[in-house]
Amino acid sequence: MLAPNTCHHFLQHVPLSYPPASPTMSILSGAIHPRQNMVARNESRVNQFVLSGLSTNHALELVLFGFFAVIYMLILQENTLIIFTIAYDQCLPTPMYFFLSNLSFIDVCHSSVVMPKMLADLLVERKTISFGECIAQMFFLHLFTCTEILLLTAMAYDR
C-alpha cells in the first residue's frame, strides 16, 4: 500500500474540473489558497536557432566558403546564360525551350534561397537564424521545389 505522502494520495484530492470553479481560487496540495495572479502562460517562445555548421575548424570553413561560392556563381552564370540565349534567339520559340528557360529561372531562385545564408554562416563564428528567417526560407524552398516538380511534370507531358 502507498504511503499517504505519495502522488497517489495527492491525486485523490485533485478535483476533476480544471480550471477551478472560482477564478480567484486554486487547489494546491489539497488546500484552497488565494490565486495570487497566477495566470498560466506559455513563455517558451523560440526567437532564433543556433546552427551547428559543417565544421568547427575556421580554416576548413574558409576553404568550404570558396568552394561553395564558386559553385553558386557557376549556377547563377550558367542558368542566366540559358535564359538569355533562349530569350534572344529567334530559332528557339518551341515549348521545350520555354520550359527549359523557366526551369533555369526556378533553379536560380531555388539555389538563391539557401546558398547566401550558408555562405554567410561559413564566415561567422556564431551561426544563428531567426525564427522568421527560418520560416521564410522553408516557405520559399518548398515553393520553388514544388514549382520545379510541376514544371518537370509539364515537360515530361510535353515530350
Side-chain angles (χ1 to χ4, degrees), residues 75-114:
I75 288 171
L76 293 179
Q77 286 177 346
E78 297 302 319
N79 284 311
T80 306
L81 181 65
I82 290 171
I83 292 169
F84 284 130
T85 302
I86 292 171
Y88 291 113
D89 193 352
Q90 299 298 325
C91 299
L92 305 175
T94 62
M96 182 183 79
Y97 291 108
F98 170 77
F99 287 131
L100 189 61
S101 66
N102 284 323
L103 188 63
S104 294
F105 176 73
I106 294 296
D107 194 28
V108 167
C109 295
H110 194 262
S111 61
S112 295
V113 169
V114 179

PDB file of all heavy atoms in Angstrom, residues 75-114:
ATOM      1  N   ILE A  75      26.352  28.361 -60.901  1.00  0.00           N
ATOM      2  CA  ILE A  75      24.908  28.118 -61.047  1.00  0.00           C
ATOM      3  C   ILE A  75      24.223  29.365 -61.589  1.00  0.00           C
ATOM      4  O   ILE A  75      23.423  29.298 -62.526  1.00  0.00           O
ATOM      5  CB  ILE A  75      24.294  27.696 -59.691  1.00  0.00           C
ATOM      6  CG1 ILE A  75      24.737  26.285 -59.323  1.00  0.00           C
ATOM      7  CG2 ILE A  75      22.773  27.770 -59.730  1.00  0.00           C
ATOM      8  CD1 ILE A  75      24.350  25.868 -57.909  1.00  0.00           C
ATOM      9  N   LEU A  76      24.564  30.523 -61.011  1.00  0.00           N
ATOM     10  CA  LEU A  76      23.947  31.773 -61.462  1.00  0.00           C
ATOM     11  C   LEU A  76      24.321  32.094 -62.906  1.00  0.00           C
ATOM     12  O   LEU A  76      23.455  32.464 -63.716  1.00  0.00           O
ATOM     13  CB  LEU A  76      24.349  32.924 -60.541  1.00  0.00           C
ATOM     14  CG  LEU A  76      23.820  32.884 -59.117  1.00  0.00           C
ATOM     15  CD1 LEU A  76      24.335  34.079 -58.332  1.00  0.00           C
ATOM     16  CD2 LEU A  76      22.313  32.845 -59.096  1.00  0.00           C
ATOM     17  N   GLN A  77      25.599  31.969 -63.244  1.00  0.00           N
ATOM     18  CA  GLN A  77      26.048  32.314 -64.598  1.00  0.00           C
ATOM     19  C   GLN A  77      25.448  31.387 -65.651  1.00  0.00           C
ATOM     20  O   GLN A  77      24.958  31.850 -66.694  1.00  0.00           O
ATOM     21  CB  GLN A  77      27.573  32.262 -64.673  1.00  0.00           C
ATOM     22  CG  GLN A  77      28.253  33.415 -64.000  1.00  0.00           C
ATOM     23  CD  GLN A  77      29.775  33.264 -64.039  1.00  0.00           C
ATOM     24  OE1 GLN A  77      30.302  32.199 -64.344  1.00  0.00           O
ATOM     25  NE2 GLN A  77      30.469  34.349 -63.728  1.00  0.00           N
ATOM     26  N   GLU A  78      25.508  30.099 -65.421  1.00  0.00           N
ATOM     27  CA  GLU A  78      25.047  29.143 -66.431  1.00  0.00           C
ATOM     28  C   GLU A  78      23.541  29.233 -66.647  1.00  0.00           C
ATOM     29  O   GLU A  78      23.080  29.202 -67.788  1.00  0.00           O
ATOM     30  CB  GLU A  78      25.448  27.721 -66.043  1.00  0.00           C
ATOM     31  CG  GLU A  78      26.951  27.501 -65.971  1.00  0.00           C
ATOM     32  CD  GLU A  78      27.654  27.820 -67.277  1.00  0.00           C
ATOM     33  OE1 GLU A  78      27.123  27.476 -68.356  1.00  0.00           O
ATOM     34  OE2 GLU A  78      28.743  28.409 -67.224  1.00  0.00           O
ATOM     35  N   ASN A  79      22.787  29.354 -65.576  1.00  0.00           N
ATOM     36  CA  ASN A  79      21.330  29.443 -65.749  1.00  0.00           C
ATOM     37  C   ASN A  79      20.914  30.774 -66.358  1.00  0.00           C
ATOM     38  O   ASN A  79      19.972  30.830 -67.154  1.00  0.00           O
ATOM     39  CB  ASN A  79      20.624  29.209 -64.408  1.00  0.00           C
ATOM     40  CG  ASN A  79      20.621  27.746 -64.032  1.00  0.00           C
ATOM     41  OD1 ASN A  79      20.272  26.889 -64.825  1.00  0.00           O
ATOM     42  ND2 ASN A  79      21.024  27.460 -62.814  1.00  0.00           N
ATOM     43  N   THR A  80      21.601  31.852 -66.003  1.00  0.00           N
ATOM     44  CA  THR A  80      21.323  33.146 -66.628  1.00  0.00           C
ATOM     45  C   THR A  80      21.677  33.113 -68.112  1.00  0.00           C
ATOM     46  O   THR A  80      20.946  33.662 -68.952  1.00  0.00           O
ATOM     47  CB  THR A  80      22.101  34.262 -65.913  1.00  0.00           C
ATOM     48  OG1 THR A  80      21.796  34.212 -64.520  1.00  0.00           O
ATOM     49  CG2 THR A  80      21.735  35.628 -66.455  1.00  0.00           C
ATOM     50  N   LEU A  81      22.766  32.468 -68.464  1.00  0.00           N
ATOM     51  CA  LEU A  81      23.148  32.306 -69.869  1.00  0.00           C
ATOM     52  C   LEU A  81      22.086  31.525 -70.649  1.00  0.00           C
ATOM     53  O   LEU A  81      21.734  31.892 -71.781  1.00  0.00           O
ATOM     54  CB  LEU A  81      24.509  31.620 -69.972  1.00  0.00           C
ATOM     55  CG  LEU A  81      25.065  31.403 -71.360  1.00  0.00           C
ATOM     56  CD1 LEU A  81      25.364  32.749 -72.018  1.00  0.00           C
ATOM     57  CD2 LEU A  81      26.316  30.551 -71.303  1.00  0.00           C
ATOM     58  N   ILE A  82      21.550  30.480 -70.044  1.00  0.00           N
ATOM     59  CA  ILE A  82      20.488  29.696 -70.700  1.00  0.00           C
ATOM     60  C   ILE A  82      19.245  30.553 -70.912  1.00  0.00           C
ATOM     61  O   ILE A  82      18.635  30.539 -71.995  1.00  0.00           O
ATOM     62  CB  ILE A  82      20.154  28.433 -69.866  1.00  0.00           C
ATOM     63  CG1 ILE A  82      21.313  27.436 -69.922  1.00  0.00           C
ATOM     64  CG2 ILE A  82      18.871  27.774 -70.357  1.00  0.00           C
ATOM     65  CD1 ILE A  82      21.170  26.267 -68.983  1.00  0.00           C
ATOM     66  N   ILE A  83      18.876  31.330 -69.911  1.00  0.00           N
ATOM     67  CA  ILE A  83      17.679  32.173 -70.014  1.00  0.00           C
ATOM     68  C   ILE A  83      17.841  33.204 -71.128  1.00  0.00           C
ATOM     69  O   ILE A  83      16.949  33.384 -71.969  1.00  0.00           O
ATOM     70  CB  ILE A  83      17.381  32.854 -68.662  1.00  0.00           C
ATOM     71  CG1 ILE A  83      16.939  31.812 -67.629  1.00  0.00           C
ATOM     72  CG2 ILE A  83      16.310  33.927 -68.814  1.00  0.00           C
ATOM     73  CD1 ILE A  83      16.876  32.337 -66.215  1.00  0.00           C
ATOM     74  N   PHE A  84      18.979  33.907 -71.149  1.00  0.00           N
ATOM     75  CA  PHE A  84      19.192  34.929 -72.176  1.00  0.00           C
ATOM     76  C   PHE A  84      19.336  34.333 -73.568  1.00  0.00           C
ATOM     77  O   PHE A  84      18.882  34.923 -74.556  1.00  0.00           O
ATOM     78  CB  PHE A  84      20.405  35.794 -71.837  1.00  0.00           C
ATOM     79  CG  PHE A  84      20.126  36.778 -70.750  1.00  0.00           C
ATOM     80  CD1 PHE A  84      20.983  36.875 -69.668  1.00  0.00           C
ATOM     81  CD2 PHE A  84      19.021  37.617 -70.791  1.00  0.00           C
ATOM     82  CE1 PHE A  84      20.732  37.783 -68.659  1.00  0.00           C
ATOM     83  CE2 PHE A  84      18.765  38.529 -69.790  1.00  0.00           C
ATOM     84  CZ  PHE A  84      19.623  38.613 -68.710  1.00  0.00           C
ATOM     85  N   THR A  85      19.957  33.174 -73.692  1.00  0.00           N
ATOM     86  CA  THR A  85      20.094  32.534 -75.004  1.00  0.00           C
ATOM     87  C   THR A  85      18.738  32.170 -75.578  1.00  0.00           C
ATOM     88  O   THR A  85      18.455  32.414 -76.760  1.00  0.00           O
ATOM     89  CB  THR A  85      20.982  31.276 -74.891  1.00  0.00           C
ATOM     90  OG1 THR A  85      22.256  31.644 -74.376  1.00  0.00           O
ATOM     91  CG2 THR A  85      21.137  30.591 -76.234  1.00  0.00           C
ATOM     92  N   ILE A  86      17.869  31.606 -74.748  1.00  0.00           N
ATOM     93  CA  ILE A  86      16.541  31.210 -75.223  1.00  0.00           C
ATOM     94  C   ILE A  86      15.682  32.441 -75.513  1.00  0.00           C
ATOM     95  O   ILE A  86      14.917  32.478 -76.481  1.00  0.00           O
ATOM     96  CB  ILE A  86      15.869  30.275 -74.202  1.00  0.00           C
ATOM     97  CG1 ILE A  86      16.630  28.941 -74.162  1.00  0.00           C
ATOM     98  CG2 ILE A  86      14.407  30.042 -74.528  1.00  0.00           C
ATOM     99  CD1 ILE A  86      16.202  28.016 -73.059  1.00  0.00           C
ATOM    100  N   ALA A  87      15.835  33.484 -74.690  1.00  0.00           N
ATOM    101  CA  ALA A  87      15.014  34.686 -74.874  1.00  0.00           C
ATOM    102  C   ALA A  87      15.392  35.456 -76.141  1.00  0.00           C
ATOM    103  O   ALA A  87      14.516  36.015 -76.810  1.00  0.00           O
ATOM    104  CB  ALA A  87      15.143  35.594 -73.659  1.00  0.00           C
ATOM    105  N   TYR A  88      16.674  35.497 -76.497  1.00  0.00           N
ATOM    106  CA  TYR A  88      17.119  36.332 -77.620  1.00  0.00           C
ATOM    107  C   TYR A  88      17.369  35.583 -78.919  1.00  0.00           C
ATOM    108  O   TYR A  88      17.650  36.206 -79.931  1.00  0.00           O
ATOM    109  CB  TYR A  88      18.371  37.116 -77.228  1.00  0.00           C
ATOM    110  CG  TYR A  88      18.056  38.184 -76.201  1.00  0.00           C
ATOM    111  CD1 TYR A  88      18.556  38.095 -74.911  1.00  0.00           C
ATOM    112  CD2 TYR A  88      17.235  39.259 -76.525  1.00  0.00           C
ATOM    113  CE1 TYR A  88      18.252  39.062 -73.968  1.00  0.00           C
ATOM    114  CE2 TYR A  88      16.929  40.222 -75.593  1.00  0.00           C
ATOM    115  CZ  TYR A  88      17.439  40.122 -74.323  1.00  0.00           C
ATOM    116  OH  TYR A  88      17.136  41.067 -73.389  1.00  0.00           O
ATOM    117  N   ASP A  89      17.266  34.266 -78.921  1.00  0.00           N
ATOM    118  CA  ASP A  89      17.439  33.506 -80.159  1.00  0.00           C
ATOM    119  C   ASP A  89      16.076  33.282 -80.811  1.00  0.00           C
ATOM    120  O   ASP A  89      15.170  32.734 -80.178  1.00  0.00           O
ATOM    121  CB  ASP A  89      18.120  32.162 -79.864  1.00  0.00           C
ATOM    122  CG  ASP A  89      18.604  31.475 -81.128  1.00  0.00           C
ATOM    123  OD1 ASP A  89      18.287  31.949 -82.231  1.00  0.00           O
ATOM    124  OD2 ASP A  89      19.313  30.456 -80.986  1.00  0.00           O
ATOM    125  N   GLN A  90      15.934  33.716 -82.037  1.00  0.00           N
ATOM    126  CA  GLN A  90      14.655  33.623 -82.745  1.00  0.00           C
ATOM    127  C   GLN A  90      14.332  32.200 -83.197  1.00  0.00           C
ATOM    128  O   GLN A  90      13.192  31.915 -83.543  1.00  0.00           O
ATOM    129  CB  GLN A  90      14.674  34.553 -83.966  1.00  0.00           C
ATOM    130  CG  GLN A  90      14.875  36.011 -83.615  1.00  0.00           C
ATOM    131  CD  GLN A  90      13.756  36.554 -82.739  1.00  0.00           C
ATOM    132  OE1 GLN A  90      12.605  36.171 -82.881  1.00  0.00           O
ATOM    133  NE2 GLN A  90      14.094  37.454 -81.830  1.00  0.00           N
ATOM    134  N   CYS A  91      15.306  31.319 -83.192  1.00  0.00           N
ATOM    135  CA  CYS A  91      15.083  29.940 -83.650  1.00  0.00           C
ATOM    136  C   CYS A  91      14.574  29.021 -82.539  1.00  0.00           C
ATOM    137  O   CYS A  91      14.344  27.842 -82.782  1.00  0.00           O
ATOM    138  CB  CYS A  91      16.379  29.361 -84.212  1.00  0.00           C
ATOM    139  SG  CYS A  91      17.006  30.270 -85.633  1.00  0.00           S
ATOM    140  N   LEU A  92      14.401  29.538 -81.332  1.00  0.00           N
ATOM    141  CA  LEU A  92      14.041  28.679 -80.201  1.00  0.00           C
ATOM    142  C   LEU A  92      12.685  29.033 -79.573  1.00  0.00           C
ATOM    143  O   LEU A  92      12.568  29.127 -78.358  1.00  0.00           O
ATOM    144  CB  LEU A  92      15.126  28.768 -79.117  1.00  0.00           C
ATOM    145  CG  LEU A  92      16.555  28.450 -79.551  1.00  0.00           C
ATOM    146  CD1 LEU A  92      17.514  28.697 -78.417  1.00  0.00           C
ATOM    147  CD2 LEU A  92      16.654  27.027 -80.035  1.00  0.00           C
ATOM    148  N   PRO A  93      11.625  29.188 -80.350  1.00  0.00           N
ATOM    149  CA  PRO A  93      10.333  29.525 -79.734  1.00  0.00           C
ATOM    150  C   PRO A  93       9.485  28.310 -79.358  1.00  0.00           C
ATOM    151  O   PRO A  93       8.317  28.446 -79.047  1.00  0.00           O
ATOM    152  CB  PRO A  93       9.641  30.365 -80.806  1.00  0.00           C
ATOM    153  CG  PRO A  93      10.136  29.776 -82.076  1.00  0.00           C
ATOM    154  CD  PRO A  93      11.555  29.314 -81.788  1.00  0.00           C
ATOM    155  N   THR A  94      10.042  27.124 -79.414  1.00  0.00           N
ATOM    156  CA  THR A  94       9.258  25.911 -79.157  1.00  0.00           C
ATOM    157  C   THR A  94       8.956  25.782 -77.662  1.00  0.00           C
ATOM    158  O   THR A  94       9.656  26.358 -76.818  1.00  0.00           O
ATOM    159  CB  THR A  94      10.023  24.665 -79.647  1.00  0.00           C
ATOM    160  OG1 THR A  94      11.239  24.563 -78.909  1.00  0.00           O
ATOM    161  CG2 THR A  94      10.322  24.751 -81.141  1.00  0.00           C
ATOM    162  N   PRO A  95       7.910  25.016 -77.320  1.00  0.00           N
ATOM    163  CA  PRO A  95       7.549  24.854 -75.907  1.00  0.00           C
ATOM    164  C   PRO A  95       8.662  24.241 -75.056  1.00  0.00           C
ATOM    165  O   PRO A  95       8.797  24.574 -73.875  1.00  0.00           O
ATOM    166  CB  PRO A  95       6.337  23.925 -75.946  1.00  0.00           C
ATOM    167  CG  PRO A  95       5.750  24.117 -77.289  1.00  0.00           C
ATOM    168  CD  PRO A  95       6.913  24.423 -78.192  1.00  0.00           C
ATOM    169  N   MET A  96       9.484  23.372 -75.659  1.00  0.00           N
ATOM    170  CA  MET A  96      10.557  22.758 -74.889  1.00  0.00           C
ATOM    171  C   MET A  96      11.525  23.818 -74.366  1.00  0.00           C
ATOM    172  O   MET A  96      11.942  23.781 -73.199  1.00  0.00           O
ATOM    173  CB  MET A  96      11.320  21.751 -75.746  1.00  0.00           C
ATOM    174  CG  MET A  96      12.432  21.045 -74.980  1.00  0.00           C
ATOM    175  SD  MET A  96      13.386  19.911 -75.985  1.00  0.00           S
ATOM    176  CE  MET A  96      14.467  21.027 -76.827  1.00  0.00           C
ATOM    177  N   TYR A  97      11.873  24.786 -75.161  1.00  0.00           N
ATOM    178  CA  TYR A  97      12.805  25.832 -74.727  1.00  0.00           C
ATOM    179  C   TYR A  97      12.142  26.822 -73.770  1.00  0.00           C
ATOM    180  O   TYR A  97      12.799  27.389 -72.900  1.00  0.00           O
ATOM    181  CB  TYR A  97      13.402  26.541 -75.942  1.00  0.00           C
ATOM    182  CG  TYR A  97      14.337  25.642 -76.706  1.00  0.00           C
ATOM    183  CD1 TYR A  97      13.974  25.122 -77.938  1.00  0.00           C
ATOM    184  CD2 TYR A  97      15.570  25.298 -76.175  1.00  0.00           C
ATOM    185  CE1 TYR A  97      14.828  24.286 -78.639  1.00  0.00           C
ATOM    186  CE2 TYR A  97      16.429  24.460 -76.861  1.00  0.00           C
ATOM    187  CZ  TYR A  97      16.053  23.962 -78.087  1.00  0.00           C
ATOM    188  OH  TYR A  97      16.897  23.126 -78.767  1.00  0.00           O
ATOM    189  N   PHE A  98      10.836  27.017 -73.918  1.00  0.00           N
ATOM    190  CA  PHE A  98      10.097  27.829 -72.953  1.00  0.00           C
ATOM    191  C   PHE A  98      10.174  27.186 -71.570  1.00  0.00           C
ATOM    192  O   PHE A  98      10.465  27.856 -70.566  1.00  0.00           O
ATOM    193  CB  PHE A  98       8.638  27.973 -73.411  1.00  0.00           C
ATOM    194  CG  PHE A  98       7.747  28.581 -72.380  1.00  0.00           C
ATOM    195  CD1 PHE A  98       7.771  29.946 -72.134  1.00  0.00           C
ATOM    196  CD2 PHE A  98       6.887  27.785 -71.644  1.00  0.00           C
ATOM    197  CE1 PHE A  98       6.948  30.512 -71.163  1.00  0.00           C
ATOM    198  CE2 PHE A  98       6.066  28.336 -70.680  1.00  0.00           C
ATOM    199  CZ  PHE A  98       6.101  29.701 -70.437  1.00  0.00           C
ATOM    200  N   PHE A  99       9.923  25.887 -71.503  1.00  0.00           N
ATOM    201  CA  PHE A  99      10.007  25.176 -70.225  1.00  0.00           C
ATOM    202  C   PHE A  99      11.444  25.153 -69.693  1.00  0.00           C
ATOM    203  O   PHE A  99      11.670  25.258 -68.491  1.00  0.00           O
ATOM    204  CB  PHE A  99       9.472  23.748 -70.357  1.00  0.00           C
ATOM    205  CG  PHE A  99       7.982  23.670 -70.483  1.00  0.00           C
ATOM    206  CD1 PHE A  99       7.398  22.913 -71.477  1.00  0.00           C
ATOM    207  CD2 PHE A  99       7.159  24.330 -69.587  1.00  0.00           C
ATOM    208  CE1 PHE A  99       6.026  22.829 -71.581  1.00  0.00           C
ATOM    209  CE2 PHE A  99       5.781  24.256 -69.684  1.00  0.00           C
ATOM    210  CZ  PHE A  99       5.211  23.496 -70.690  1.00  0.00           C
ATOM    211  N   LEU A 100      12.402  25.015 -70.600  1.00  0.00           N
ATOM    212  CA  LEU A 100      13.804  24.984 -70.184  1.00  0.00           C
ATOM    213  C   LEU A 100      14.252  26.321 -69.586  1.00  0.00           C
ATOM    214  O   LEU A 100      14.957  26.349 -68.577  1.00  0.00           O
ATOM    215  CB  LEU A 100      14.691  24.613 -71.374  1.00  0.00           C
ATOM    216  CG  LEU A 100      16.154  24.328 -71.064  1.00  0.00           C
ATOM    217  CD1 LEU A 100      16.280  23.161 -70.110  1.00  0.00           C
ATOM    218  CD2 LEU A 100      16.911  24.060 -72.343  1.00  0.00           C
ATOM    219  N   SER A 101      13.807  27.432 -70.170  1.00  0.00           N
ATOM    220  CA  SER A 101      14.173  28.730 -69.595  1.00  0.00           C
ATOM    221  C   SER A 101      13.484  28.951 -68.252  1.00  0.00           C
ATOM    222  O   SER A 101      14.079  29.504 -67.330  1.00  0.00           O
ATOM    223  CB  SER A 101      13.835  29.860 -70.568  1.00  0.00           C
ATOM    224  OG  SER A 101      12.445  29.968 -70.743  1.00  0.00           O
ATOM    225  N   ASN A 102      12.244  28.511 -68.116  1.00  0.00           N
ATOM    226  CA  ASN A 102      11.571  28.611 -66.825  1.00  0.00           C
ATOM    227  C   ASN A 102      12.217  27.715 -65.780  1.00  0.00           C
ATOM    228  O   ASN A 102      12.311  28.081 -64.609  1.00  0.00           O
ATOM    229  CB  ASN A 102      10.085  28.271 -66.961  1.00  0.00           C
ATOM    230  CG  ASN A 102       9.305  29.398 -67.579  1.00  0.00           C
ATOM    231  OD1 ASN A 102       9.588  30.561 -67.320  1.00  0.00           O
ATOM    232  ND2 ASN A 102       8.337  29.060 -68.406  1.00  0.00           N
ATOM    233  N   LEU A 103      12.679  26.537 -66.203  1.00  0.00           N
ATOM    234  CA  LEU A 103      13.383  25.651 -65.283  1.00  0.00           C
ATOM    235  C   LEU A 103      14.699  26.269 -64.823  1.00  0.00           C
ATOM    236  O   LEU A 103      15.071  26.153 -63.645  1.00  0.00           O
ATOM    237  CB  LEU A 103      13.636  24.298 -65.960  1.00  0.00           C
ATOM    238  CG  LEU A 103      14.185  23.181 -65.083  1.00  0.00           C
ATOM    239  CD1 LEU A 103      13.197  22.822 -63.994  1.00  0.00           C
ATOM    240  CD2 LEU A 103      14.495  21.964 -65.929  1.00  0.00           C
ATOM    241  N   SER A 104      15.391  26.958 -65.709  1.00  0.00           N
ATOM    242  CA  SER A 104      16.624  27.652 -65.321  1.00  0.00           C
ATOM    243  C   SER A 104      16.338  28.783 -64.340  1.00  0.00           C
ATOM    244  O   SER A 104      17.085  28.992 -63.385  1.00  0.00           O
ATOM    245  CB  SER A 104      17.336  28.206 -66.552  1.00  0.00           C
ATOM    246  OG  SER A 104      17.798  27.169 -67.367  1.00  0.00           O
ATOM    247  N   PHE A 105      15.251  29.517 -64.563  1.00  0.00           N
ATOM    248  CA  PHE A 105      14.871  30.583 -63.634  1.00  0.00           C
ATOM    249  C   PHE A 105      14.536  30.023 -62.257  1.00  0.00           C
ATOM    250  O   PHE A 105      14.967  30.561 -61.229  1.00  0.00           O
ATOM    251  CB  PHE A 105      13.681  31.359 -64.200  1.00  0.00           C
ATOM    252  CG  PHE A 105      13.172  32.417 -63.270  1.00  0.00           C
ATOM    253  CD1 PHE A 105      13.893  33.580 -63.060  1.00  0.00           C
ATOM    254  CD2 PHE A 105      11.984  32.229 -62.585  1.00  0.00           C
ATOM    255  CE1 PHE A 105      13.434  34.550 -62.190  1.00  0.00           C
ATOM    256  CE2 PHE A 105      11.516  33.196 -61.716  1.00  0.00           C
ATOM    257  CZ  PHE A 105      12.242  34.353 -61.507  1.00  0.00           C
ATOM    258  N   ILE A 106      13.786  28.931 -62.220  1.00  0.00           N
ATOM    259  CA  ILE A 106      13.434  28.299 -60.947  1.00  0.00           C
ATOM    260  C   ILE A 106      14.689  27.771 -60.255  1.00  0.00           C
ATOM    261  O   ILE A 106      14.818  27.844 -59.031  1.00  0.00           O
ATOM    262  CB  ILE A 106      12.414  27.163 -61.168  1.00  0.00           C
ATOM    263  CG1 ILE A 106      11.095  27.735 -61.650  1.00  0.00           C
ATOM    264  CG2 ILE A 106      12.207  26.339 -59.904  1.00  0.00           C
ATOM    265  CD1 ILE A 106      10.404  28.630 -60.656  1.00  0.00           C
ATOM    266  N   ASP A 107      15.646  27.277 -61.026  1.00  0.00           N
ATOM    267  CA  ASP A 107      16.900  26.789 -60.444  1.00  0.00           C
ATOM    268  C   ASP A 107      17.691  27.927 -59.809  1.00  0.00           C
ATOM    269  O   ASP A 107      18.286  27.759 -58.742  1.00  0.00           O
ATOM    270  CB  ASP A 107      17.725  26.086 -61.515  1.00  0.00           C
ATOM    271  CG  ASP A 107      18.859  25.272 -60.937  1.00  0.00           C
ATOM    272  OD1 ASP A 107      18.734  24.812 -59.784  1.00  0.00           O
ATOM    273  OD2 ASP A 107      19.880  25.099 -61.634  1.00  0.00           O
ATOM    274  N   VAL A 108      17.715  29.098 -60.441  1.00  0.00           N
ATOM    275  CA  VAL A 108      18.373  30.269 -59.853  1.00  0.00           C
ATOM    276  C   VAL A 108      17.687  30.662 -58.552  1.00  0.00           C
ATOM    277  O   VAL A 108      18.332  30.909 -57.529  1.00  0.00           O
ATOM    278  CB  VAL A 108      18.384  31.450 -60.854  1.00  0.00           C
ATOM    279  CG1 VAL A 108      18.768  32.745 -60.159  1.00  0.00           C
ATOM    280  CG2 VAL A 108      19.331  31.163 -61.995  1.00  0.00           C
ATOM    281  N   CYS A 109      16.357  30.705 -58.570  1.00  0.00           N
ATOM    282  CA  CYS A 109      15.605  31.058 -57.355  1.00  0.00           C
ATOM    283  C   CYS A 109      15.806  30.018 -56.258  1.00  0.00           C
ATOM    284  O   CYS A 109      15.992  30.362 -55.086  1.00  0.00           O
ATOM    285  CB  CYS A 109      14.121  31.189 -57.679  1.00  0.00           C
ATOM    286  SG  CYS A 109      13.728  32.536 -58.785  1.00  0.00           S
ATOM    287  N   HIS A 110      15.774  28.764 -56.629  1.00  0.00           N
ATOM    288  CA  HIS A 110      15.921  27.671 -55.668  1.00  0.00           C
ATOM    289  C   HIS A 110      17.281  27.712 -54.979  1.00  0.00           C
ATOM    290  O   HIS A 110      17.380  27.552 -53.762  1.00  0.00           O
ATOM    291  CB  HIS A 110      15.716  26.343 -56.408  1.00  0.00           C
ATOM    292  CG  HIS A 110      15.521  25.173 -55.521  1.00  0.00           C
ATOM    293  ND1 HIS A 110      16.534  24.317 -55.206  1.00  0.00           N
ATOM    294  CD2 HIS A 110      14.415  24.717 -54.882  1.00  0.00           C
ATOM    295  CE1 HIS A 110      16.073  23.371 -54.416  1.00  0.00           C
ATOM    296  NE2 HIS A 110      14.794  23.590 -54.198  1.00  0.00           N
ATOM    297  N   SER A 111      18.339  27.917 -55.743  1.00  0.00           N
ATOM    298  CA  SER A 111      19.671  27.955 -55.137  1.00  0.00           C
ATOM    299  C   SER A 111      19.906  29.256 -54.372  1.00  0.00           C
ATOM    300  O   SER A 111      20.702  29.284 -53.430  1.00  0.00           O
ATOM    301  CB  SER A 111      20.749  27.761 -56.205  1.00  0.00           C
ATOM    302  OG  SER A 111      20.668  28.789 -57.157  1.00  0.00           O
ATOM    303  N   SER A 112      19.204  30.328 -54.730  1.00  0.00           N
ATOM    304  CA  SER A 112      19.363  31.600 -54.028  1.00  0.00           C
ATOM    305  C   SER A 112      18.631  31.652 -52.695  1.00  0.00           C
ATOM    306  O   SER A 112      18.805  32.595 -51.936  1.00  0.00           O
ATOM    307  CB  SER A 112      18.878  32.750 -54.907  1.00  0.00           C
ATOM    308  OG  SER A 112      19.703  32.860 -56.044  1.00  0.00           O
ATOM    309  N   VAL A 113      17.827  30.666 -52.408  1.00  0.00           N
ATOM    310  CA  VAL A 113      17.154  30.613 -51.112  1.00  0.00           C
ATOM    311  C   VAL A 113      18.116  30.171 -50.024  1.00  0.00           C
ATOM    312  O   VAL A 113      18.134  30.738 -48.930  1.00  0.00           O
ATOM    313  CB  VAL A 113      15.927  29.660 -51.182  1.00  0.00           C
ATOM    314  CG1 VAL A 113      15.376  29.382 -49.810  1.00  0.00           C
ATOM    315  CG2 VAL A 113      14.855  30.244 -52.062  1.00  0.00           C
ATOM    316  N   VAL A 114      18.947  29.192 -50.305  1.00  0.00           N
ATOM    317  CA  VAL A 114      19.768  28.571 -49.269  1.00  0.00           C
ATOM    318  C   VAL A 114      21.225  29.040 -49.288  1.00  0.00           C
ATOM    319  O   VAL A 114      21.822  29.287 -48.236  1.00  0.00           O
ATOM    320  CB  VAL A 114      19.721  27.032 -49.414  1.00  0.00           C
ATOM    321  CG1 VAL A 114      20.574  26.351 -48.388  1.00  0.00           C
ATOM    322  CG2 VAL A 114      18.294  26.552 -49.314  1.00  0.00           C
TER     323      VAL A 114
END
